[in-house]
Amino acid sequence: MARSKLKGALDQYKGRDIKLEKQRKKEKEARKRNEKSRKERVESEEDEDEEVGGIYLVEEAAVKANGKTNKGKKNDMVEKVADEEAEWETEESDDDEEGSEEEEEDDILERAIFDMSRLEDSDSEGSSDDNAEEHNQEGSDDEAEEEEEDIPLSDIESLASEDKGDVIPHQRLTINNTSALLAALQRIQLPYSKMLFSEHQSVTTDEPVEMPDVEDDLNRELAFYSQSLAAVKDARAKLKKEGVQFTRPVDYFAEMVKSEEHMGKIKQKMIDEAAGKKAAAEARRQRDLKKFGKQVQVAKMQERAKEKRDTLEKINLLKRKRQGADLTNTNEGDLFDIELENAAKASHRRKGDGKPNAKRQKKDAKYGFGGKKRHAKSNDAISSANMSGYSLKKMREGRLGKKGGGASKRLGKSRRAKSV
Amino acid sequence: MAAVYKTLSSLSSHKKEAEERKYKQRVLILSSRGVTYRHRHLLQDLYSLMPHSRKEAKLDTKTKLYQLNELAELYNCNNVLFFEARKGKDLYAWMSKAPNGPTVKMHLQNLHTMEELNFIGNCLKGSRPILSFDASFEKQAHLRVIKELFTQIFGVPKSSRKVKPFVDHVMGFTIADGKIWIRVYQISESEPGKKKPTADGEMMDLDPALKKGKKTEMDVSLVEIGPRFVLTPIVILESSFGGPVIFENKEFVSPNQIRADLRRAKAGRYNRRTEAALESKIKRGGLGLSTHGGRKKEKDPLSDHVLFA
């Protein structure tokens, strides 16, 4: 082998099997040759057929023959059988011959009856079969069937690559003895062409059912459904034409495949399911409502509590202020109003200051704050910006008082001593 | 003249009868020992769908299947549908034309019986089904054989004794992924104006007079009945439960093999680890870290272990 080791390794890495490929190539050649010879044979046999008056081996052909001559039919049948038998004999020998041919070609091939139809060449195989059917020469087609062998290594593809070392690939030989299969089929097949449709009631689709993904449950079932539906429509028309009763009348009662009990169970199950669904929906609705209702209620309660607190606070504030304030002020009503406003304002500002609520304040006053005491009296940004101590009114009052002889000035020591 | 007519008519009627008898099918349904309840229910379902079938007691043997031929002859059956259970979990279905073949062995998977499926479809016991086949059945020889067997086993012959006159269900056989998928549907007809049938048995409530009078085109829809299962062809034998193998499916991997592979794949992990450990040990030895020239290193007389022992 001139092929270097490296190349071999590469091939192996790529998963190419040189041997298998070669073998396949040879097989293809062999098949081509066979086909050519077969075609020739077919042509010659067709000529013969025309002369003799038809030795047909497939029943479709036999039906054709019916049209030709009624008399010759029986003879044909007899001939057919005899011919078939003869053909079988020859087939065996043919097989042998071909087998030996193949053996010469490739000593790996065993002399056995195998078919490659499963491999990639299956298309060509199928088409050739079709051709043969068109020629109504399946009998002669048989002897040209391939005997090949292939050894699939694909059975362990599903395993992880590193585990492959441990697994010995099990190799299964494909046996597909088409001639024997067709013979068996011919033996048991009912003569459909002679039967009424209503006797067998089998429908085959025109096109193979396409299924992109078998794992896709929904589409798969849909494909099955549509196949059956098409078949039913077809069959229904045919049966109606043959005058067969199709639809069951309403008043026809008979035993069903599923008993009443079983159907009852199914119905109960459906009812339960529906009830469960309904109950679940209802429960969800209720839950949502409850959740929402609760939210509303809580909001309302909070609102009410807040209002109450605010009013109480205002009143308390007022009380304190009234206690501390001097009573010289004249207009009480006016004052009250203003101070209420102020209190409201103050309370608002207080909120902004971030001071705790009244209860907290009370508690702090009672038990002490408990926080840090440092810097408690030092100024900070808030306290320095605090203008609460500043009152123009008071200042004015003071000035007025001075003028009006309000608050007296602190007297000298002697005079003070004297007064006391 | 009358005599001639009589003979002629009797002859013709006799002929007709003979013709009808030609397509007589009877199916022997039975299972091996060791079936589970689901397998048994499947058997029951199929039996109820096939009025031309004869149920038999479980077959004792799993090796001498040719006994089935005698059994079929005994019960006058020309088809055998035999379920072979293995290991209490795998089910194989054998279909055979009794006296002289062919026989198909298939692996039955994805089994769901009527009982557990809870489909609302239902049909008359003993009505004849429409058999719907995928066109792929015509593509290959072995599938043609299988199709023929299906047609003869699941198709109820017209002359069957317990048959009922209407057609109200369809059996679908589809090939996908190299397997045969089987479904059974009820045919429900309803008037186009009407809404979808209310399942169960009520879809038949159309006015027959109206139908007769106007001959309206009915809407046909299907409701699944069950059971569901998938068959993988394994082998076709030339004669009945014997004879040469004329087809073998290379794509079929036995469930035993699959289970074994899985187990082995699991075991592979352990093997790899131990191998790696061994390898590293050898490597280290080769580097001379713990050995010297393949032998163990001699004890250093000045090592701490020796000095302060």
Side-chain angles (χ1 to χ4, degrees):
Chain A
M1 277 267 158
R3 217 153 36 88
S4 68
K5 244 183 185 177
L6 204 63
K7 213 171 174 185
L10 185 68
D11 281 337
Q12 205 172 12
Y13 176 73
K14 279 181 179 170
R16 264 176 71 190
D17 200 339
I18 303 287
K19 221 175 181 181
L20 202 72
E21 275 178 11
K22 264 194 178 167
Q23 188 183 323
R24 243 175 241 174
K25 215 182 247 172
K26 272 181 184 169
E27 279 163 2
K28 234 179 217 172
E29 282 170 15
R31 189 175 308 129
K32 253 181 209 166
R33 224 176 303 144
N34 278 338
E35 215 149 78
K36 212 185 260 174
S37 66
R38 189 202 310 166
K39 258 182 197 165
E40 285 168 15
R41 217 176 302 153
V42 164
E43 277 167 21
S44 65
E45 269 186 25
E46 265 180 344
D47 293 343
E48 263 176 42
D49 282 354
E50 278 166 20
E51 286 166 21
V52 175
I55 301 171
Y56 291 95
L57 298 166
V58 192
E59 60 188 28
E60 300 154 19
V63 176
K64 243 187 190 172
N66 284 348
K68 276 190 177 172
T69 47
N70 228 353
K71 237 187 195 174
K73 187 181 159 192
K74 263 185 191 170
N75 292 339
D76 276 358
M77 292 289 268
V78 172
E79 268 178 13
K80 179 180 156 190
V81 172
D83 206 71
E84 237 179 304
E85 274 171 16
E87 201 118 62
W88 268 107
E89 294 300 311
T90 55
E91 253 171 59
E92 297 283 273
S93 56
D94 263 354
D95 284 352
D96 290 355
E97 277 171 31
E98 277 187 11
S100 56
E101 264 175 44
E102 299 253 316
E103 235 168 2
E104 283 167 19
E105 281 171 14
D106 195 332
D107 46 10
I108 299 167
L109 286 183
E110 286 172 344
R111 196 185 63 77
I113 305 164
F114 294 127
D115 199 317
M116 284 281 292
S117 64
R118 289 240 153 208
L119 285 174
E120 53 194 4
D121 313 307
S122 64
D123 286 347
S124 64
E125 183 81 19
S127 64
S128 75
D129 268 356
D130 287 352
N131 281 338
E133 270 175 23
E134 277 171 20
H135 288 292
N136 282 334
Q137 292 290 347
E138 267 180 90
S140 60
D141 184 24
D142 285 349
E143 50 189 56
E145 282 304 326
E146 303 296 328
E147 310 91 295
E148 280 133 349
E149 168 199 40
D150 64 77
I151 301 165
L153 290 163
S154 61
D155 293 334
I156 46 161
E157 266 171 12
S158 55
L159 286 176
S161 56
E162 64 260 41
D163 290 336
K164 268 184 188 167
D166 286 327
V167 180
I168 303 152
H170 49 281
Q171 302 175 346
R172 187 188 290 276
L173 301 176
T174 299
I175 300 176
N176 193 354
N177 187 348
T178 315
S179 52
L181 282 170
L182 288 176
L185 178 66
Q186 222 161 15
R187 205 171 59 220
I188 60 163
Q189 201 166 35
L190 299 175
Y192 292 113
S193 49
K194 276 189 239 165
M195 290 164 78
L196 289 172
F197 176 75
S198 62
E199 297 207 40
H200 57 91
Q201 292 193 348
S202 70
V203 182
T204 310
T205 55
D206 300 328
E207 295 290 316
V209 175
E210 292 287 323
M211 216 166 292
D213 183 16
V214 185
E215 302 297 321
D216 184 1
D217 283 5
L218 196 70
N219 283 331
R220 189 190 61 217
E221 292 303 323
L222 193 67
F224 294 156
Y225 180 90
S226 46
Q227 181 204 328
S228 289
L229 191 63
V232 166
K233 278 178 179 160
D234 190 14
R236 190 163 167 271
K238 279 182 183 165
L239 287 173
K240 285 261 159 83
K241 214 160 70 185
E242 287 179 13
V244 177
Q245 286 170 305
F246 190 84
T247 319
R248 184 178 66 136
V250 197
D251 53 355
Y252 185 91
F253 294 108
E255 194 184 357
M256 305 292 275
V257 163
K258 290 180 187 174
S259 61
E260 281 297 309
E261 198 185 340
H262 189 184
M263 288 312 282
K265 226 158 88 184
I266 292 168
K267 252 182 215 171
Q268 191 57 47
K269 189 141 201 163
M270 282 176 69
I271 289 168
D272 285 352
E273 218 164 77
K277 255 184 208 166
K278 208 174 164 188
E282 181 68 19
R284 173 167 297 122
R285 201 177 62 85
Q286 208 72 15
R287 211 162 38 234
D288 286 351
L289 212 68
K290 202 172 162 188
K291 215 189 265 169
F292 189 64
K294 206 163 196 171
Q295 272 175 351
V296 167
Q297 203 179 359
V298 165
K300 211 179 263 176
M301 293 284 272
Q302 276 174 346
E303 183 87 2
R304 217 173 278 167
K306 194 181 156 205
E307 225 163 78
K308 193 177 169 186
R309 206 169 51 225
D310 281 357
T311 357
L312 278 177
E313 230 165 75
K314 264 188 233 165
I315 289 169
N316 281 343
L317 209 70
L318 253 173
K319 267 186 192 165
R320 244 177 281 152
K321 278 202 175 165
R322 297 295 286 183
Q323 267 178 356
D326 53 356
L327 299 164
T328 50
N329 251 329
T330 47
N331 196 349
E332 269 191 27
D334 199 21
L335 197 72
F336 185 77
D337 269 354
I338 288 163
E339 274 188 323
L340 204 63
E341 241 168 60
N342 282 349
K345 261 184 213 163
S347 75
H348 268 285
R349 216 185 304 137
R350 217 183 46 91
K351 267 263 140 68
D353 286 349
K355 277 183 187 168
N357 59 19
K359 194 173 178 185
R360 185 69 254 162
Q361 273 176 338
K362 197 94 178 174
K363 281 193 169 169
D364 285 351
K366 195 170 177 182
Y367 305 113
F369 176 53
K372 62 177 180 184
K373 306 286 190 288
R374 279 165 297 160
H375 314 302
K377 288 178 179 172
S378 59
N379 265 345
D380 58 0
I382 297 167
S383 72
S384 58
N386 191 2
M387 298 288 279
S388 62
Y390 174 77
S391 168
L392 197 67
K393 203 179 185 181
K394 273 188 182 163
M395 272 180 5
R396 270 200 200 122
E397 252 173 34
R399 223 175 24 202
L400 283 175
K402 228 187 209 167
K403 268 188 186 166
S408 54
K409 227 183 174 180
R410 187 180 157 98
L411 301 171
K413 194 181 179 180
S414 57
R415 271 196 275 180
R416 265 187 288 155
K418 205 193 256 175
S419 74
V420 176
Chain B
M1 203 66 198
V4 171
Y5 173 74
K6 207 172 180 185
T7 48
L8 274 177
S9 61
S10 72
L11 200 81
S12 67
S13 73
H14 189 74
K15 227 180 195 174
K16 211 178 232 173
E17 239 170 52
E19 201 126 305
E20 270 181 10
R21 200 173 292 147
K22 226 162 74 181
Y23 311 129
K24 200 178 132 193
Q25 306 288 344
R26 262 174 73 80
V27 184
L28 184 71
I29 297 185
L30 75 170
S31 72
S32 71
R33 294 223 166 270
V35 287
T36 66
Y37 76 99
R38 298 177 75 196
H39 302 159
R40 190 156 36 77
H41 286 187
L42 174 72
L43 211 73
Q44 185 61 44
D45 291 348
L46 290 178
Y47 177 63
S48 67
L49 284 171
M50 293 152 67
H52 59 303
S53 59
R54 172 81 161 78
K55 220 164 107 177
E56 238 308 287
K58 288 171 187 161
L59 192 73
D60 269 320
T61 175
K62 281 181 189 175
T63 48
K64 296 171 198 155
L65 291 182
Y66 52 82
Q67 288 177 358
L68 283 166
N69 292 329
E70 293 161 32
L71 215 58
E73 202 187 346
L74 196 67
Y75 290 113
N76 229 350
C77 295
N78 56 355
N79 299 291
V80 179
L81 185 57
F82 174 63
F83 291 95
E84 183 185 350
R86 294 254 179 96
K87 301 192 168 183
K89 45 190 159 190
D90 304 325
L91 190 66
Y92 296 89
W94 294 76
M95 292 193 312
S96 168
K97 293 292 290 178
N100 34 23
T103 308
V104 182
K105 184 192 183 188
M106 291 173 294
H107 181 221
L108 199 150
Q109 285 167 297
N110 286 16
L111 165 64
H112 301 282
T113 61
M114 275 184 201
E115 184 76 33
E116 58 193 18
L117 276 174
N118 283 318
F119 285 137
I120 50 180
N122 201 353
C123 65
L124 284 172
K125 197 171 190 167
S127 63
R128 304 177 57 217
I130 292 169
L131 304 174
S132 158
F133 288 97
D134 185 356
S136 319
F137 273 105
E138 295 289 347
K139 289 271 162 17
Q140 282 163 314
H142 70 277
L143 291 175
R144 286 179 71 187
V145 172
I146 291 170
K147 184 193 167 200
E148 189 58 34
L149 278 169
F150 276 140
T151 320
Q152 296 191 13
I153 287 177
F154 289 103
V156 179
K158 220 173 185 177
S159 55
S160 180
R161 216 157 39 83
K162 286 180 264 180
V163 92
K164 292 206 180 82
F166 307 107
V167 180
D168 64 351
H169 68 287
V170 54
M171 278 185 106
F173 301 86
T174 314
I175 292 176
D177 198 22
K179 299 179 177 67
I180 301 163
W181 303 65
I182 298 176
R183 297 284 183 271
V184 183
Y185 300 97
Q186 175 194 355
I187 302 166
S188 69
E189 292 174 288
S190 59
E191 279 176 63
K194 265 189 184 169
K195 269 189 191 168
K196 279 225 158 183
T198 54
D200 33 346
E202 260 88 88
M203 62 279 299
M204 299 296 186
D205 59 352
L206 6 109
D207 200 350
L210 199 144
K211 198 184 105 197
K212 227 180 270 171
K214 281 207 282 185
K215 234 192 168 189
T216 48
E217 194 53 44
M218 301 285 233
D219 269 351
V220 180
S221 62
L222 303 178
V223 185
E224 188 155 1
I225 302 171
R228 285 178 168 184
F229 52 95
V230 176
L231 297 169
T232 317
I234 305 170
V235 149
I236 299 180
L237 306 177
E238 193 166 25
S239 60
S240 180
F241 296 104
V245 175
I246 53 176
F247 169 79
E248 188 163 8
N249 184 3
K250 68 154 187 205
E251 284 175 8
F252 173 73
V253 184
S254 91
N256 287 332
Q257 187 66 48
I258 290 169
R259 284 191 287 262
D261 283 353
L262 281 176
R263 263 202 310 276
R264 220 165 288 152
K266 256 184 197 166
R269 261 185 311 208
Y270 171 75
N271 289 347
R272 269 203 313 283
R273 264 208 303 272
T274 44
E275 256 170 45
L278 194 71
E279 230 168 69
S280 73
K281 204 175 169 189
I282 290 165
K283 213 182 195 174
R284 220 174 277 179
L287 282 175
L289 290 178
S290 57
T291 56
H292 186 70
R295 279 177 294 128
K296 250 195 168 179
K297 257 187 181 171
E298 285 165 24
K299 254 186 190 175
D300 189 1
L302 292 177
S303 74
D304 289 353
H305 291 292
V306 177
L307 284 180
F308 307 105

